[in-house]
Amino acid sequence: MRLVIRKDFEAVSYHVAKYVKERIKEFAPTATKPFVLGLPTGSSPVGVYRNLVKFHQAGELSFQHIITFNMDEYVGLPRDHPESYHSFMWSNLFKHVDILPENVHILDGNATDLDLECQRYEEKIAAVGGIELFLGGIGPDGHIAFNEPGSSLNSRTRVKTLAYDTIVANARFFDNDITKVPNLALTVGVATVMDAREVCIIITGAHKALALAKCIEEGVNHMWTVSAIQLHPRGMVVCDEDATLELHVKTVNYFKSIEKVHEQLIGSDNVGLQGGVRSWRGGAESTYHQ
Amino acid sequence: MQYPVALQLHNFISAPSSPEPNTPLPENTPKVIKITNCRVLKDHKIVEKDAIWIQDGKIIDPHKFFWYQKRLPDVVLDAEGLLVAPGFIEAQINGAFGVDFSVPSDQETYERGLTKVSRGLLKYGTTSYCPTIVSSSAAVYHQVLPLLKPRPGSSVLGASILGAHVEGPFINEARVGAHELKALQASAKNGFQDFKSVYGFEGDTPEAQRKLSKENLHSVKIITCAPELNGVMESIPDLVKAGITVSVGHSMANTLQAEEAVMQGATFITHLFNAMPQFHHRDPGVIGLLGSRLDLPRPYYGLICDGIHVHPNSVKIAYDSHPEGVILVTDAMSAMGLSPGNYQLGNMDVTKKKDHVVIEGTNTLAGSVITLDACMRNFIQFTSCSLIEALEAVTLHPAVLLGIQDSKGVIKPGADADLVFLSDDLYVKRVFVAGQEVDLGAIDV
């Protein structure tokens, strides 16, 4: 797993957006080989989307051959409700870019058969060849998507009851009336996310510090479901300095030092997007030392 | 799987299911136009870098379009960063381009004149208007009003007609302005009945009166009258009930009478300051309505903003006292839009200069020839108001006055796609009527 630490929320957002852009550029998607992207909602990815829109407006990134799958959606909320995840994705990303509407997939919380909807969602993901890169955030309780503590780490897309704390926290978007907050949601499972060929989790802010520490320094544990990333061959966490507050100094120094080696000793040009080394001319004669 | 009862299934709102992608569209599905890169006047704000979506002549909600119709727009146009406002609404205009609405003629000639004005007004950003008829004989009204029924606009036929503004004849001869004295009616002693017979409303049979509807009212949208005349005050509620906007104008009413008119249902003041007693601090008259403290909101007021009919300082005083009520009007006469020169219009010989018109050989104003976009530019200069307030004075405010704010004067889903694109210095660059772009260069009036 790679842990990339940046100064603050803006720097994290820019880094992740740039990473996504470079990944897509490297992949060179076409109509027959589209890039399948998994997307989150919430406050963590807002900056990433803002930067992606800027790249698109500058002509550096096209969404024409990108297929997206969102992580979750409330049950029973009309699609055009301002708090639905459809609305969130529309105003933060889709309305500004050239993505094709038929390439956008978000779970339908108003389907008549919710179980079937979840099953079909998994089938749709498989039909396009699986997800290439899944972006995600993390809750203060370490949950990914709506996989609240106690969710099976082998779970797939399904209906979940929201935790009471989550409902109370969301009431602020529903006129502070908890009876108006949806109490069910459809969500991708932990395994659905980890099935992606690459997973990138965005973690910013001091209130997420404990969750980050539990997820990467302690064991794989269903009470902190993001910890499943420890078993992913290509996992990445991008966080800001505040989110590292509960990590051991040793952990933070270790990951920062790897980046330093990449930049100064190997040369950042020779390091692939995922940290693999592309070419290496080692030895004392190496010209990469400052 | 059975969900627990506490789920409250009645909270589900069944949304229409999305069509499968690649289903062929039904024939004649209207094209969807997306106009990108606009600064849009929406909800009392100017939204930067926004887009407007149009289908079938109306503005649509792109959110619904994306999720339910799952299509991309058929046509994408670039507004190049221009300011996009709703098309302007003109509440008082007597004619333009040599056409005078109060001069009856055969139907074909009259309609040609109407179309000429409707098209020409687009150049100044006006996409909806109320052709105004000055005080005339009953015969003239009977002939002309049936030709002024509301009709939608189009990029070819021009601005939409909202119905006529009949200015008179129940007005005070002491404030006759430019109207002909002999056309005035001194009173309406039979009340609403007199209005009906002068204007030639259909529906004189008891049968039709029972079903009195806007259809029957020969397309009258606004009536300017003097409430102090005998019988007029009592008629106001009937006029309002018939769907007409009643306006106080060409009047000698004192403030008490003017306020009574508002209580009876009048909602507009015709060209404030003009054709009414000047402001007196102990007897403010109709102008005093701007300082009223009634249970009802203060009325809207029209301002001819050419800097000539009303002194710029007076414009600012009126605006400062009641900013939410301002509606800019041109009250333009038939020489508006003509190039400078001498013309014979009706029984008048006039000399049109660049922005005003005089009786030939004199310095006497022969009326107004200002255009509505110029009114708006003057208004900002005179009052230092915000861009949004100036735009709303020619869009939202007249729409609310006339009760048409769901379809005109606003940019929101469901409204008519009448749009005007303005440069930073507020000159009209592009115009859309009912979702179609107007070829401004092809308008030859």
Side-chain angles (χ1 to χ4, degrees), chain A residues 83-261:
Chain A
E83 293 304 323
S84 79
Y85 287 167
H86 282 78
S87 294
F88 177 95
M89 291 309 301
W90 169 254
S91 34
N92 281 292
L93 184 61
F94 299 140
K95 99 171 174 189
H96 306 280
V97 300
D98 60 344
I99 194 161
L100 303 178
E102 64 260 25
N103 284 346
V104 169
H105 303 277
I106 304 189
L107 284 156
D108 180 4
N110 293 301
T112 33
D113 186 340
L114 296 175
D115 281 335
L116 186 61
E117 169 67 12
C118 293
Q119 206 179 309
R120 285 175 64 193
Y121 202 67
E122 291 276 348
E123 283 163 11
K124 279 189 215 157
I125 295 176
V128 295
I131 295 177
E132 185 65 31
L133 169 61
F134 217 130
L135 299 181
I138 188 177
D141 57 3
H143 73 236
I144 181 146
F146 272 127
N147 295 289
E148 316 252 284
S151 298
S152 164
L153 298 178
N154 256 329
S155 50
R156 311 245 38 129
T157 306
R158 66 216 186 285
V159 185
K160 280 290 285 182
T161 314
L162 300 184
Y164 184 73
D165 282 348
T166 308
I167 295 177
V168 167
N170 284 349
R172 69 186 193 272
F173 301 122
F174 294 89
D175 302 324
N176 284 319
D177 179 0
I178 64 168
T179 59
K180 288 197 185 144
V181 184
N183 44 30
L184 290 181
L186 301 180
T187 179
V188 293
V190 181
T192 317
V193 176
M194 297 302 159
D195 270 358
R197 287 182 277 286
E198 183 175 1
V199 179
C200 170
I201 306 293
I202 306 158
I203 303 184
T204 57
H207 57 302
K208 305 279 174 80
L210 184 63
L212 176 57
K214 291 287 185 186
C215 288
I216 69 175
E217 282 181 342
E218 301 196 14
V220 173
N221 185 331
H222 68 166
M223 297 309 276
W224 302 90
T225 46
V226 172
S227 62
I229 200 175
Q230 295 179 28
L231 295 177
H232 195 287
R234 280 214 179 106
M236 176 162 79
V237 172
V238 185
C239 69
D240 64 357
E241 296 282 355
D242 280 348
T244 64
L245 287 174
E246 293 280 352
L247 291 175
H248 293 138
V249 174
K250 187 168 94 171
T251 311
V252 173
N253 284 348
Y254 172 71
F255 285 106
K256 282 188 176 171
S257 76
I258 299 219
E259 283 206 69
K260 209 183 265 186
V261 171

